[in-house]
Every structure is written in C-alpha cells, then in structure tokens.
Amino acid sequence: MPKYIYMTWTVYFLLLVLLESGVFVADAVKSESVTEGESVSLNSSFTQIHRDEEIEWRFGQFLIARVKNNRSVFYNTTAEGRFRDRLKLDRQTGSLTIINSRTTDSGLYTVSSSRRDTINTINLTVYARLPVPVISSNSSLNSSSSSSSSSSCSLVCSAVNVSHVTLSWFKGNCVFTSIRVSDLSSRSDLLLHLECVDDSYSCVLNNPIRNQTQHLYNTQLCHTCAAVLSVSRTVLISAAAAGSLLIVAAVGIFWICRKRRNTHREETRAEEITDPTFNRRNRNKSRATEEDNVEYTSVPHES
C-alpha cells in the first residue's frame, strides 16, 4: 500500500478519535488539485493569528510546519526530507504554500490551533505532468488488412508513463472512443479503425485538471476522405457517362428502326399509286382467294 494512502487512513483514524473525545470539531474535508511542479496554497481558514496562538500543519501524522505568536516559524525538514526548502507559512493567516509540488505530496493536510477547537483538513492531489500523445500508424494491422481492403486504416494513439488519465479519440468535439488508465504503465495505446481520415480527428490525454491534444495533421498515415471522395466521384461520373452512352445508343437504334419502317410504308404506298396493275393484281388475288373459299356440294341425280 502506498505510504500516502496509509497516512490518509491514519489521519482519518486520529480525527475520529479526537472527535469522539470531544477535543476538536473537524470541518468537512476540502479538496485541492495541482499539476506537478506548480505551487499550491493550502488555506487555514483563519483570518488572523493571535499573539498567544500556535498553529500547526501536519502531513498525515508528521508535523511539517508551526507558527507561534505570529512571529517564530518552524519547518520540519526531517519529515522524510520531502519538503526541504519547499514550504512557506503565512504568519498572519497560517496558510501554507507548497512550492514546486511533487506527486509524492498528495495526501491529507491538517491545520490545528492551540486556541480553537477546530481542525481543518485538506486533501491534496498532485497530478503528474501530461505528455503530448503520439499518433502513429499500426503497421501490423494495416499490412494484414491491405489485401482485403485497400482503403482501410488503423491508427494508434499512445502515451508513456501515465496514470489516472483518460486517453480518447475525438472527431470534432465528440468522443469517438476512449480508455481509462488507472495504474502507471510503460505505454498505453488506443486503436482507431477507419476507412479514411481528415483533420477533424484528434487524440486527447487528460486528467481532471489538465489535457494534452494531438491533432491528426499527418494524413499520410491513412487515405484522406477527400481523396476517397474524389475517387468515388470519378467512378460515379464514369458510370453515369457509360449509362448515358447506352441510353443514347438505344434511342438511336430505336429511331433508325422506326425510320426504316416508315420508309418501307411510304415505298409501298408509292408503288400502289404509280403501278396501274397493282390494283388489278390485288383484285385477282382477292378473287382467287374467294374462289378458294367456295365450298362445292354434290347434287343427287334422279333415277
């Protein structure tokens, strides 16, 4: 179990004992957050320290600072040596400032007074600095998928040595996919599978107070959506042009066939008008046809 967690439970236990004994009245635990390397001020909630009053600050169970009679200030630099030259106590209000904070400074801080029956407790969380995430191409997945789909693409966003953060892929302002990293690890990866990409994609690494963003500017990692759209348009235009040619050809063939039929009819009519024997031949044909249709019956002879 980490030391600061052990000390946190220790302080809770001590506060419980003090409350039950009726010696102190503890206010609600306040929370403060800061990024590693920044300074943070822990408010004592006291407006003025009296001359005969003694204020003490503790980190867990260790005394780290004391001011007495709003004059003499004492810093305990032997408390695991962690706060050496990094503490500043306000003699008037008793507020404590931690300079150049470290992740190991996370934990419970309590301030008490010799003249006040109160204990103020602050839970400080110091987050590690966030690296800028790195976007790269997942070559193994891209090579295996290239045979099945030339337009498929696999990207990976990675961050190194991070904990208590969220790693997310964004498209515009919307979360596409994300993972939560609780424990410190050597590398955290988040995959993204797409058909094409544009500059609206970004990878974001964030904790409750900070974030780092990497935009997908390097579109050489994947096919751009503009290029894929251009190819699709070319294919559609080609298909439309081919369809139009087929329609034109069909219409042309139809008109040619129709024109030939009309020409044949006109030639037949012209022949009827210019050939005087045409009607005669037609009458003969009709007469022959009528004769062919005549039915002959036998007449019985009288004996």
Side-chain angles (χ1 to χ4, degrees), residues 164-271:
H164 300 93
V165 297
T166 301
L167 189 62
S168 307
W169 274 106
F170 276 75
K171 179 174 175 58
N173 295 325
C174 300
V175 178
F176 205 86
T177 180
S178 64
I179 58 171
R180 175 70 180 172
V181 182
S182 299
D183 299 325
L184 187 69
S185 58
S186 58
R187 180 184 175 98
S188 299
D189 295 336
L190 182 61
L191 295 177
L192 179 66
H193 302 286
L194 296 169
E195 291 297 323
C196 61
V197 297
D198 53 43
D199 56 5
S200 67
Y201 289 92
S202 60
C203 183
V204 178
L205 180 69
N206 71 283
N207 57 31
I209 60 174
R210 295 287 186 275
N211 68 75
Q212 290 283 10
T213 302
Q214 180 67 269
H215 292 279
L216 186 59
Y217 293 122
N218 188 4
T219 53
Q220 294 178 354
L221 297 175
C222 284
H223 299 284
T224 62
C225 293
V228 173
L229 182 60
S230 177
V231 172
S232 301
R233 286 178 177 175
T234 303
V235 172
L236 289 175
I237 292 173
S238 300
S244 300
L245 290 175
L246 289 175
I247 293 173
V248 171
V251 172
I253 293 172
F254 171 78
W255 281 107
I256 291 173
C257 293
R258 183 175 181 180
K259 185 175 182 181
R260 286 183 177 179
R261 287 198 301 270
N262 292 337
T263 302
H264 178 70
R265 290 177 181 176
E266 291 176 358
E267 291 176 350
T268 303
R269 290 178 181 177
E271 183 179 359

